[in-house]
Amino acid sequence: MKRGRTTNEANSSSSEDTTEKESKRHKIVEKKTTVVQSPDWANLLQDIILQVFQYLPLLDRAHASQVCRSWNQVFHMPDLWRCFEFELNQPATSNLRTTHPELIKQIIKRHSNHLQYVSFKVVDSSKESAEAACDILSQLVNCSLKTLGLISTARPSFMDLPKSHFISALTVVFVNSKSLSSLKIDDTPVDDPSLKVLVANNSDTLKLLKMSSCPHVSPAGILCVADQCHGLRELALNYHLLSDELLLALSSEKHVRLEHLRIDVVSENPGQTQFHTIQKSSWDAFIKHSPKVNLVMYFFLYEEEFDPFFRYEIPVTHLYFGRSVSKDVLGRVGMTCPRLVELVVCANGLRPLDEELICIAERCKYLSAVGLGECEVSCSAFVEFVKMCGGRLSQLSIMEEVLIPDQKYSLEQIHWEVSKHLGRVWFPDMMPTW
């Protein structure tokens, strides 16, 4: 028979259990004490500090880098310098923000090979600021940019520079960046030879090209880009660069489907600009190849210059008129733009657009955004237009001053009727009184 434990053995075992429990409890307390101790901020993992720095403005980031050596090391990590915007102006004549010259020197010295997404914003109209941008560009010999944007918030800036100086600086980037995918060079003296350099070095990677108001580029120059850059998905240019050959090149089997095409139709001197007509067959080939493309057209023309446009069906989806447009032109829009999604008209003169607006509602079945600015319309026609378009009008604006009351609706009644057909509360815009 097994002999039961004696009283001494039981007490000894109980004491050992108690001791073991106490030991475990002390260890848990020690662990908890370790957890709640104040962290050593200087020794935080660098990737955590890096994530914090990525949310800080540059000036705050620079101040934080002075806290300790570890934070200063993070400040110079490549991940923080892949994306940068140089803001340039002349401090002597402007109070606008500018990138400090010492910081520019430091970037060129330590981080030029890290830069991938870069933009130069000239925030004044001075030639000196544009020259500064070119000087920085010419020093990026070790870069491999993916995105480059040259932005002038006030004209003319880049156009004031000697063409050779600008082209030389831009060519440095084109030659050294073998994976450029996005290029925005509006209002610059870029020319055909420089585009050939771009194509020779980045034809496999270029996806977006914006180059409106570039007078030194010819239709042959932009055609070279379309012929060689088969991955191009977004393109913005002036109408004088658009041709039947360009549309057919963008419609070839080798070319990817274009997603966005923006065309600026601009005239500075009425009667002195001759606008050509694109053949319907070219538009048909283009839309067959890229059926979901957004075709955006901005018109800044005088009334007598619209004759070559809207004579047959075109696949425009977003249409903006920056100057007054006649009833005749808007009537043709309704007949020739069945894919229209957005229409913005600043003004139309002194004749109401009743019939033209009804025609647009009947034929433009995808229309969802309308801005009529100072276009005169009778209240009855406007309500009928909204009724025909229905709830798909996500945006609708018109000045109250140009709505013409009639026997059916007054200005006090129209917002109720329009709200009812839109399915939401709507009011016309009002002219500011100041």
Side-chain angles (χ1 to χ4, degrees):
M1 295 178 61
K2 291 184 178 181
R3 185 168 58 88
R5 292 191 302 174
T6 64
T7 302
N8 289 337
E9 290 175 335
N11 290 337
S12 176
S13 176
S14 175
S15 176
E16 290 176 358
D17 290 345
T18 302
T19 301
E20 184 177 353
K21 289 179 180 178
E22 285 292 322
S23 177
K24 288 182 178 180
R25 187 174 66 82
H26 283 301
K27 288 181 179 179
I28 293 173
V29 171
E30 287 176 0
K31 287 183 180 180
K32 288 183 177 180
T33 303
T34 301
V35 171
V36 298
Q37 285 178 347
S38 298
D40 184 356
W41 293 104
N43 294 321
L44 279 174
L45 292 176
Q46 285 194 337
D47 58 343
I48 297 177
I49 304 174
L50 178 63
Q51 292 180 30
V52 174
F53 272 33
Q54 287 174 337
Y55 288 98
L56 294 178
L58 178 61
L59 186 60
D60 293 342
R61 193 189 304 166
H63 289 158
S65 70
Q66 300 175 19
V67 170
C68 62
R69 181 179 300 175
S70 177
W71 285 29
N72 186 263
Q73 290 174 348
V74 174
F75 178 72
H76 291 289
M77 290 181 69
D79 285 352
L80 288 175
W81 299 99
R82 300 196 193 285
C83 179
F84 194 84
E85 180 178 76
F86 294 92
E87 293 185 295
L88 304 169
N89 68 59
Q90 299 306 300
T93 58
S94 173
N95 294 321
L96 298 173
R97 185 172 60 180
T98 185
T99 305
H100 197 279
E102 290 301 320
L103 176 59
I104 294 175
K105 290 180 182 179
Q106 187 178 97
I107 291 172
I108 293 173
K109 181 179 179 180
R110 301 188 61 171
H111 302 294
S112 62
N113 59 325
H114 303 148
L115 296 173
Q116 293 185 1
Y117 309 94
V118 175
S119 61
F120 292 83
K121 182 184 289 185
V122 178
V123 296
D124 59 9
S125 59
S126 70
K127 180 180 177 181
E128 291 78 10
S129 296
E131 286 178 339
C134 287
D135 289 341
I136 298 170
L137 274 176
S138 63
Q139 297 180 67
L140 300 182
V141 293
N142 297 320
C143 70
S144 184
L145 299 186
K146 297 181 183 296
T147 295
L148 173 63
L150 302 181
I151 305 165
S152 298
T153 58
R155 295 183 181 184
S157 62
F158 289 108
M159 292 302 298
D160 271 352
L161 298 178
K163 193 176 85 166
S164 59
H165 179 43
F166 176 82
I167 295 301
S168 175
L170 193 62
T171 301
V172 169
V173 176
F174 289 172
V175 170
N176 289 281
S177 299
K178 305 296 184 181
S179 56
L180 195 63
S181 63
S182 176
L183 180 62
K184 301 178 182 180
I185 46 175
D186 294 339
D187 300 299
T188 63
V190 62
D191 59 6
D192 290 359
S194 58
L195 289 182
K196 289 183 179 180
V197 176
L198 168 69
V199 170
N201 291 277
N202 300 273
S203 61
D204 294 335
T205 58
L206 191 64
K207 295 181 179 179
L208 181 150
L209 177 60
K210 290 188 64 180
M211 47 180 303
S212 295
S213 301
C214 297
H216 300 295
V217 176
S218 72
I222 192 66
L223 181 59
C224 172
V225 176
D227 275 335
Q228 301 297 321
C229 301
H230 297 146
L232 196 65
R233 296 182 181 276
E234 298 185 40
L235 180 62
L237 68 164
N238 281 82
Y239 185 81
H240 78 272
L241 296 177
L242 186 68
S243 64
D244 294 290
E245 293 78 12
L246 176 61
L247 288 177
L248 294 177
L250 295 171
S251 306
S252 68
E253 292 183 2
K254 295 180 180 180
H255 206 287
V256 300
R257 290 181 172 86
L258 207 68
E259 297 173 0
H260 190 93
L261 175 61
R262 169 175 167 163
I263 302 168
D264 292 347
V265 191
V266 182
S267 172
E268 301 293 344
N269 302 306
Q272 298 183 19
T273 305
Q274 297 295 322
F275 293 97
H276 59 286
T277 300
I278 301 297
Q279 296 180 12
K280 185 178 184 301
S281 57
S282 301
W283 283 122
D284 291 343
F286 173 69
I287 202 64
K288 181 179 180 181
H289 180 73
S290 302
K292 296 183 179 180
V293 66
N294 285 319
L295 175 56
V296 183
M297 298 187 74
Y298 282 79
F299 282 87
F300 296 90
L301 301 183
Y302 296 94
E303 185 174 336
E304 61 272 18
E305 297 174 314
F306 275 100
D307 189 63
F309 302 100
F310 308 111
R311 291 299 180 183
Y312 52 79
E313 189 172 301
I314 59 173
V316 61
T317 55
H318 298 73
L319 191 54
Y320 305 92
F321 293 99
R323 292 179 180 148
S324 180
V325 184
S326 68
K327 284 171 61 71
D328 176 62
V329 171
L330 288 174
R332 282 152 44 194
V333 166
M335 301 298 293
T336 59
C337 304
R339 297 180 74 244
L340 199 60
V341 174
E342 183 171 2
L343 174 65
V344 176
V345 186
C346 72
N348 74 299
L350 301 176
R351 299 171 61 191
L353 293 177
D354 294 6
E355 298 83 3
E356 292 73 21
L357 208 56
I358 299 302
C359 177
I360 290 172
E362 289 175 343
R363 298 181 63 87
C364 302
K365 301 299 183 181
Y366 305 103
L367 192 64
S368 61
V370 177
L372 296 176
E374 298 180 17
C375 298
E376 290 197 352
V377 185
S378 72
C379 288
S380 294
F382 187 73
V383 170
E384 183 63 22
F385 168 78
V386 176
K387 181 179 179 181
M388 294 173 69
C389 293
R392 74 169 186 267
L393 282 177
S394 59
Q395 298 181 42
L396 177 64
S397 65
I398 189 172
M399 300 301 297
E400 183 182 60
E401 287 78 6
V402 297
L403 286 169
I404 305 171
D406 50 33
Q407 294 181 347
K408 197 169 184 180
Y409 298 105
S410 66
L411 289 176
E412 290 73 22
Q413 295 170 317
I414 191 170
H415 79 271
W416 293 108
E417 285 296 318
V418 172
S419 299
K420 179 177 67 177
H421 295 301
L422 288 178
R424 66 179 188 278
V425 177
W426 178 89
F427 287 94
D429 299 330
M430 298 186 68
M431 191 76 71
T433 55
W434 60 85

